[in-house]
Amino acid sequence: MVAVTGEVDLATAPQLEQELADALATPGATGVRVDLSGVEFMDSAGLRVLVAALKSAEDAGLTLTLAAPHERVRRIIEITGLSEVFGLAGKA
């Protein structure tokens, strides 16, 4: 699991990108769960990292799951139409 806290923006997205890449490259991993409960703000740079990580996971036959996104972050994911891509549609 990768636990994310604070803000995910242009300045912090590269760190998240590296952590997700490392988690997906863990030998024997079947997937990665990304705990977003501690993230209060995410901009397009953060969304780009999550979409790229999802594609990398799928290409490797792994799963990438977003868990417990803060309401503000969930709203951003919904507005951009990514809730269905990440399997958050209909979840509260």
Side-chain angles (χ1 to χ4, degrees), residues 70-87:
H70 188 281
E71 184 58 36
R72 284 180 233 150
V73 174
R74 174 181 285 282
R75 186 74 181 127
I76 291 166
I77 293 169
E78 289 172 349
I79 288 170
T80 58
L82 293 171
S83 58
E84 292 194 21
V85 172
F86 286 109

Side-chain angles (χ1 to χ4, degrees), residues 7-13 39 41-49 76:
E7 297 183 355
V8 181
D9 56 20
L10 189 60
T12 60
V39 178
F41 174 81
M42 181 177 290
D43 70 6
S44 61
L47 291 175
R48 180 197 59 79
V49 167
I76 291 166

Side-chain angles (χ1 to χ4, degrees), residues 6-76:
E7 297 183 355
V8 181
D9 56 20
L10 189 60
T12 60
Q15 180 182 352
L16 175 59
E17 186 171 32
Q18 185 61 55
E19 288 187 35
L20 291 174
D22 291 347
L24 288 168
T26 302
T30 58
V32 174
R33 181 180 165 104
V34 184
D35 180 355
L36 296 175
S37 62
V39 178
E40 295 186 13
F41 174 81
M42 181 177 290
D43 70 6
S44 61
L47 291 175
R48 180 197 59 79
V49 167
L50 292 177
V51 170
L54 179 62
K55 181 172 181 351
S56 293
E58 290 174 345
D59 288 349
L62 305 173
T63 61
L64 185 120
T65 307
L66 303 184
H70 188 281
E71 184 58 36
R72 284 180 233 150
V73 174
R74 174 181 285 282
R75 186 74 181 127
I76 291 166

